[in-house]
Amino acid sequence: MRIAIADDDPEIIEFLGQIVEGLGHVYSGYADGTSLTNALLRDTFDLVILDWNMPGKTGMQILEWADGAIEDRPPVIMMTSRTSKQDVSDALNAGADDYITKPEDKNVIAARITALLRRNNGASAMEPTAEYGDYLLDRIEQTVRHGEKEVALTAKEFELADLMFRNRDRTLSRRYIMETVWRTNAHLATRTLDMHVSRIRSKLALKPENGFRIFTVFGYGYRLETLGNGG
């Protein structure tokens, strides 16, 4: 998973980043609210850990902005030193999914991150097999069946197909796909990613009559859309 951490204290970003990496995820740190909002417009994240008091935009301003500005807003943990019940209520009512008061034990923070990611992404992401319409994905064997036919995919093609099915109807940035499937922060050649998308589109016959299509969001990434009998 990709997690954004916004805090004006670099030591807090490093502390939270170590927790995130210890859970097997990747993170990007932002020292002010404006940097975070710019990142949310151009990239995809599975979770945001948000400080309240930051330069540029405050955490509350970001919550209010995100509801109208981001189509698929990621879940948000507000992590702040503000402790009043009114502050907690205000943040949750503004759209925060959880609220952590600083300082907090790292094991508690890790558990809250894991719980929110699990709740947001659904238990099916961890199951060995998953069914989407007429498509059956076996994550152990890394195979896909479309109806009665087994479709031969390479390891990367399967990972890309699995990622897109798990995130169907959600727009994924190129960087998100790159870091999730290729597990690298290096720039992936556009041709490489486009080629893999084209291959799974063709091999899996992802077209309207089969319930799904891959939609290109120019300048950003891709979205697997559910159509008709897609599940």
Side-chain angles (χ1 to χ4, degrees), residues 50-185:
L50 183 62
D51 188 20
W52 189 307
N53 297 314
M54 292 185 296
K57 288 182 182 291
T58 67
M60 289 293 288
Q61 288 173 331
I62 292 170
L63 285 174
E64 294 165 357
W65 164 85
D67 275 340
I70 304 175
E71 181 180 354
D72 298 305
R73 183 183 72 79
V76 175
I77 296 176
M78 182 73 83
M79 184 168 174
T80 172
S81 58
R82 300 172 73 118
T83 60
S84 77
K85 291 181 180 180
Q86 187 61 54
D87 287 336
V88 177
S89 176
D90 288 346
L92 294 175
N93 285 332
D97 299 271
D98 200 353
Y99 193 101
I100 299 176
T101 302
K102 300 175 184 177
E104 182 56 274
D105 179 78
K106 64 180 181 180
N107 293 322
V108 173
I109 296 172
R112 302 279 277 272
I113 291 172
T114 299
L116 188 51
L117 287 172
R118 185 188 301 118
R119 185 163 72 244
N120 191 64
N121 288 278
S124 64
M126 303 301 295
E127 293 174 356
T129 62
E131 191 171 355
Y132 307 97
D134 293 331
Y135 296 88
L136 178 65
L137 277 66
D138 185 327
R139 297 188 177 106
I140 304 299
E141 299 296 330
Q142 290 199 321
T143 58
V144 178
R145 295 194 68 85
H146 180 207
E148 298 300 317
K149 178 183 177 183
E150 182 170 309
V151 183
L153 299 178
T154 67
K156 290 302 180 188
E157 288 168 356
F158 178 86
E159 287 188 57
L160 179 59
D162 189 20
L163 177 69
M164 299 191 81
F165 272 111
R166 283 189 286 113
N167 290 278
R168 58 202 181 283
D169 300 314
R170 177 189 181 195
T171 303
L172 303 178
S173 69
R174 289 178 175 273
R175 182 177 176 183
Y176 182 90
I177 297 171
M178 175 186 70
E179 290 188 351
T180 304
V181 176
W182 279 267
R183 297 175 182 82
T184 176
N185 290 320

Side-chain angles (χ1 to χ4, degrees), residues 6 21 26 35 38 45 51 88 91 98 114 122 128-129 164 178 182 192 195 208 215 223 225:
E21 291 180 336
V26 296
S35 296
N38 289 338
F45 295 95
D51 188 20
V88 177
D98 200 353
T114 299
T129 62
M164 299 191 81
M178 175 186 70
W182 279 267
T192 300
M195 177 182 66
F215 181 76
R223 180 173 65 252
E225 295 185 336

